[in-house]
Amino acid sequence: MRIDCPAINRAACQSLVIQRRERLSYAAGDVGFNLIWQSIELYLLFFYIQVLHLPLGIAASIFLIGAVVDWLFDPIIGALADRMAIRYPMKLWVLLSGPLIAVALWLAFRSPELEGHSLALYAAATHVGLRFAYGCGNIPYAVLTARITDDPSEQLKLTGLRMQGAALGGLTAATIYALASGSDAPFLVGALVLGVLAQPCFFITWLGVKERVAAPPTPLLSLPQEISHYFRLIGQNDALRRLLLTIVAAGLSTTVTAKSILFLFDRDLGNSEWGYWAALLPSAALLITAPLWVALSTRIGLVATLIWTVLLHIIALVMLAIFYSHGLTIATIILAIAIAATCGMSIMFWSMVPIAIRDLETLPGGTGCAAHVYALSNVARKLGQALAPQIIALSLALTGGADATAKGGAVLPGMILAAIICWIAVFLYRPTSERHGNGQTG
């Protein structure tokens, strides 16, 4: 049978050490997903403004529309995945969604012979389709952390290795786009290549991962009942509310920094060509620092590590604002430090999610809610990601005036603002475990 560890005997799952081959198979999925996601995260907003020449407000609004669609459909995907988990394992969703994601990515980076409102509608429609296809695979993939093992230490290792897989996918994506930058349609070429490369990654995850931890039975609910269930999960669990706010704030700050890289070098630093290679920094930093953040969190706790990463991020961005005029080398080094801090933030909040699931599912009368919680976490992350283009557009508009869409403006003020918002949220409403109120989650 697919489920090897019954829900009533979670201790047996906790004692199981996951073999490295299975960990690598799990991480392969995030290699594939980040071949796709980095295209959205780093390049799509830049593509809308610089290639399609959409106005700042429209380009930013498309990301907001995509997020609204995510907020509507991600909970539905999560509910369906939980309900169908016994017959249709989470890893099957990963495999089947792959071709759909690849086609959607290619459509999103096309430059159709359209203009005005027709072009904006095309960009919005393909953006929404890409986000929906991505969610169909990524939400069930994220649930696998809680279904492979119930041991928090093993889950932390899986998350760290998954983040390194994400880094490898991001490095590959950034390299492909940089190499394609000299072609007539670099973004379209890159999207086509990356969509194809993602497919074997999803296949490896489907083939090599075992879902051992059975969820408690999930009741069949009507749509209004499902909606009520989501609100009840949030309303009755303070730890989950704190975690979701952390994900929103950290997702906002992380995304503003990542999406600003091309703009930063093009507008603030005046070297757009170097910006394509600087886009390698998020993935390179994640690949290098993920083991370090995991090691630190095992010593001082997830929450303490999260707070230090947020503080380091703010300090680095302030230093960048002070020293960016001292040359590209200094600016790139300081930016790399800021990006490394965002990597730690991401690892910490994703490591807290399976702990929240464990606490909820092992409560008296607890039911299977892994996909529900991951859907809520994705909604929170995408809320932060949706707000990020608004801050970038606002920063460009306020500092660039009428010339902001074409060339003027600066993104560094927006980057610092997002980092400060993140610090305030994490410091005043820091995440914690419902079962472990001392704040040392994990």
Side-chain angles (χ1 to χ4, degrees), residues 113 179 202 223 227 238 259 270 305 311 340 349 351-352 361 388:
E113 296 294 329
L179 292 175
F202 300 146
L223 180 59
I227 295 173
D238 179 65
K259 286 186 183 298
T305 304
L311 183 60
F349 71 66
S351 296
M352 295 174 190
E361 290 188 343

Side-chain angles (χ1 to χ4, degrees), residues 232-249:
R232 189 163 57 252
L233 277 175
I234 299 172
Q236 295 179 353
N237 194 276
D238 179 65
L240 181 59
R241 291 194 300 273
R242 289 173 178 268
L243 175 58
L244 294 178
L245 178 62
T246 296
I247 294 174
V248 172

Side-chain angles (χ1 to χ4, degrees), residues 118-307:
S118 297
L119 180 60
L121 287 174
Y122 175 85
T126 54
H127 187 96
V128 166
L130 176 58
R131 299 284 284 260
F132 174 74
Y134 185 87
C136 286
N138 188 250
I139 292 173
Y141 171 76
V143 175
L144 286 173
T145 310
R147 293 293 172 247
I148 293 173
T149 178
D150 203 25
D151 184 345
S153 64
E154 287 295 319
Q155 289 172 342
L156 181 60
K157 293 175 184 177
L158 283 172
T159 301
L161 194 58
R162 169 193 172 184
M163 291 297 173
Q164 288 185 290
L168 182 59
L171 277 173
T172 303
T175 302
I176 293 296
Y177 282 116
L179 292 175
S181 61
S183 66
D184 293 335
F187 294 108
L188 186 61
V189 171
L192 180 61
V193 171
L194 295 172
V196 172
L197 290 179
Q199 305 312 305
C201 300
F202 300 146
F203 178 78
I204 291 171
T205 295
W206 172 78
L207 188 65
V209 165
K210 296 181 180 179
E211 298 178 41
R212 298 175 179 81
V213 182
T218 301
L220 296 177
L221 302 176
S222 65
L223 180 59
Q225 289 174 322
E226 283 287 1
I227 295 173
S228 176
H229 180 54
Y230 274 109
F231 280 107
R232 189 163 57 252
L233 277 175
I234 299 172
Q236 295 179 353
N237 194 276
D238 179 65
L240 181 59
R241 291 194 300 273
R242 289 173 178 268
L243 175 58
L244 294 178
L245 178 62
T246 296
I247 294 174
V248 172
L252 170 66
S253 186
T254 298
T255 305
V256 168
T257 297
K259 286 186 183 298
S260 295
I261 293 174
L262 294 180
F263 292 105
L264 180 69
F265 283 89
D266 182 50
R267 304 195 180 194
D268 299 61
L269 300 175
N271 193 320
S272 59
E273 292 184 4
W274 180 245
Y276 282 96
W277 293 105
L280 290 164
L281 287 174
S283 299
L286 185 58
L287 187 65
I288 295 169
T289 64
L292 303 178
W293 294 125
V294 170
L296 180 61
S297 67
T298 60
R299 294 179 63 87
I300 67 174
L302 297 177
V303 175
T305 304
L306 173 68
I307 292 173

Side-chain angles (χ1 to χ4, degrees), residues 361-378:
E361 290 188 343
T362 55
L363 287 171
T367 60
C369 64
H372 286 75
V373 173
Y374 270 106
L376 288 172
S377 300
N378 264 330

